[in-house]
């Protein structure tokens, strides 16, 4: 904390608590929180930052448990200078801080189909990093390229193929910050696209605890793919089904709870700490391993010191 950091144009805050920036409302402080003014500000800051100091890119905190001891190094949170959305010639260009839902809606208004993004919580940077998907569609199906600032401040355009996108996986180099993504989208009638998104929202709200404090799906599906939403969708290797079969629907530990409505949603039900949430998650993993032989992998990102 005694280290001298570069002086950016954006906001740089020391010892900044992070709980209010995550959907689960848990976690200790970051040594530093940097909110760059724009891409140039981010590039200059990273170029001049001590290379030994770790950096962590944080979106809207929708898929994140920050541990109670907080994060050492610099947390970078992209904001207003990174949330633009443009639609032209069948291509949608979105800043990394643009919300997935906003991108889907803006594209639909322009007669372009990125409707799968409508129900995915979070922002485009996180969607790219996790190759987010639902209803049988993934970021990988539409992504053309991303722009990223490297740890040394260099600017790079990376083709989608070079990110090696797989189920909940991408290969973005350590310390690089995605600032923008370009998507290819099929044409569609705006009214029909809007109607499809409304139907998706209704289905999501009927099956998921959208009014509770959660971070979305907690564990990856051992099947290695998201729900397709089709009538022939198999639930045998869905994480929620294995958790349910292990008798852990609604299970509580401290202030943490597995949702009654959807057992693969970990909730901050009553003043949970990050430790409560992670401990309950590990209990679920152990019980599912014992009852089914399957090893659940975390989908929620956990970072920081206990």
């Amino acid at each position: 904390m005694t280290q001298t950091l570069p002086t950016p144009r954006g906001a740089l805050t020391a010892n900044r608590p992070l709980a209010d920036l995550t959907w689960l409302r848990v976690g200790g402080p970051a040594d530093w929180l940097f909110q760059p003014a724009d891409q140039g500000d981010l590039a200059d800051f990273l170029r001049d930052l001590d290379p030994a100091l770790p950096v962590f890119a944080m979106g809207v905190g929708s898929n994140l448990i920050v541990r109670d001891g907080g994060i050492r190094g610099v947390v970078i949170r992209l904001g207003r200078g990174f949330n633009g959305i443009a639609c032209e010639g069948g291509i949608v260009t979105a800043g990394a801080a643009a919300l997935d839902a906003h991108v889907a809606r803006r594209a639909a208004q322009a007669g372009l189909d990125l409707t799968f993004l409508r129900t995915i919580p979070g922002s485009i940077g996180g969607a790219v990093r996790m190759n987010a998907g639902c209803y049988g569609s993934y970021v990988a199906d539409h992504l053309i390229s991303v722009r990223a600032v490297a740890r040394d401040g260099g600017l790079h355009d990376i083709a989608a193929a070079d990110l090696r996108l797989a189920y909940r996986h991408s290969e973005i180099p350590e310390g690089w910050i995605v600032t923008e993504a370009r998507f290819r989208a099929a044409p569609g009638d705006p009214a029909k696209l809007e109607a499809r998104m409304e139907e998706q929202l209704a289905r999501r709200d009927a099956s998921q605890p959208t009014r509770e404090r959660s971070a979305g799906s907690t564990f990856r599906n051992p099947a290695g793919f998201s729900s397709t939403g089709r009538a022939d969708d198999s639930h045998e290797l869905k994480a929620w089904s294995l958790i349910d079969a292990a008798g852990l629907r609604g299970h509580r530990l401290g202030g943490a709870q597995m949702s009654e409505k959807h057992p693969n949603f970990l909730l901050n039900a009553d003043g949970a700490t990050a430790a409560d949430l992670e401990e309950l998650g590990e209990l679920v993993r152990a019980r599912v391993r014992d009852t089914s032989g399957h090893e659940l992998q975390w989908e929620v990102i956990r970072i920081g010191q206990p």
Side-chain angles (χ1 to χ4, degrees):
M1 289 296 290
T2 56
Q3 211 158 0
T4 305
L5 268 63
T7 303
R9 287 180 283 114
L12 181 63
T13 312
N15 206 35
R16 171 65 159 84
L18 297 174
D20 66 316
L21 300 180
T22 73
W23 285 25
L24 281 166
R25 294 293 187 266
V26 297
D31 285 350
W32 299 93
L33 176 70
F34 175 41
Q35 296 164 283
D38 51 36
Q39 189 171 260
D41 191 32
L42 174 62
D44 291 348
F45 181 85
L46 288 175
R47 181 195 65 213
D48 297 338
L49 186 67
D50 179 349
L53 212 56
V55 300
F56 174 72
M58 180 177 176
V60 292
S62 60
N63 186 42
L64 190 65
I65 293 174
V66 176
R67 296 188 177 108
D68 299 310
I71 299 177
R72 305 292 73 83
V74 181
V75 171
I76 296 174
R77 192 170 195 258
L78 305 184
R80 209 167 279 165
F82 299 86
N83 63 1
I85 305 167
C87 306
E88 196 177 343
I91 291 174
V92 178
T93 304
L99 295 177
D100 301 333
H102 288 180
V103 175
R105 287 166 60 193
R106 184 73 65 80
Q109 288 163 7
L112 295 170
D113 185 356
L114 289 177
T115 51
F116 81 100
L117 286 171
R118 180 66 182 90
T119 58
I120 296 175
S123 56
I124 288 296
V128 168
R129 189 170 283 278
M130 294 293 287
N131 185 24
C134 65
Y135 303 123
S137 288
Y138 296 87
V139 163
D141 301 325
H142 301 274
L143 190 68
I144 300 167
S145 64
V146 299
R147 181 160 287 181
V149 179
R151 182 61 181 81
D152 63 5
L155 202 59
H156 299 264
D157 287 316
I158 312 169
D162 294 332
L163 295 176
R164 307 198 190 288
L165 298 166
Y167 176 58
R168 299 295 182 262
H169 173 82
S170 67
E171 292 183 12
I172 296 167
E174 187 73 29
W176 289 34
I177 312 292
V178 172
T179 59
E180 186 180 274
R182 295 170 71 238
F183 299 93
R184 190 178 293 102
D189 173 67
K192 288 180 179 171
L193 295 175
E194 188 60 47
R196 185 190 303 165
M197 292 190 294
E198 287 301 318
E199 181 200 339
Q200 288 174 356
L201 282 173
R203 278 162 61 189
R204 181 196 69 179
D205 291 348
S207 64
Q208 297 177 10
T210 51
R211 299 187 187 283
E212 310 276 354
R213 282 187 181 165
S214 86
S217 294
T218 306
F219 301 106
R220 304 174 189 196
N221 290 324
F225 54 83
S226 301
S227 297
T228 62
R230 295 193 299 266
D232 63 352
D233 196 6
S234 167
H235 295 284
E236 282 173 47
L237 285 182
K238 295 289 164 60
W240 76 262
S241 183
L242 295 171
I243 296 166
D244 203 19
L248 293 171
R249 182 188 288 264
H251 192 81
R252 287 187 75 128
L253 190 157
Q257 181 179 16
M258 301 312 294
S259 168
E260 287 275 4
K261 194 172 191 179
H262 192 306
N264 192 28
F265 278 62
L266 177 60
L267 308 179
N268 182 347
D270 184 18
T273 62
D276 289 342
L277 293 162
E278 197 165 7
E279 195 178 337
L280 177 54
E282 289 300 329
L283 182 153
V284 168
R285 293 182 70 230
R287 190 80 60 82
V288 167
R289 189 187 308 122
D290 291 346
T291 56
S292 73
H294 288 288
E295 191 75 39
L296 290 180
Q297 301 297 330
W298 283 89
E299 183 169 323
V300 171
I301 294 163
R302 296 152 299 132
I303 187 166
Q305 309 294 312

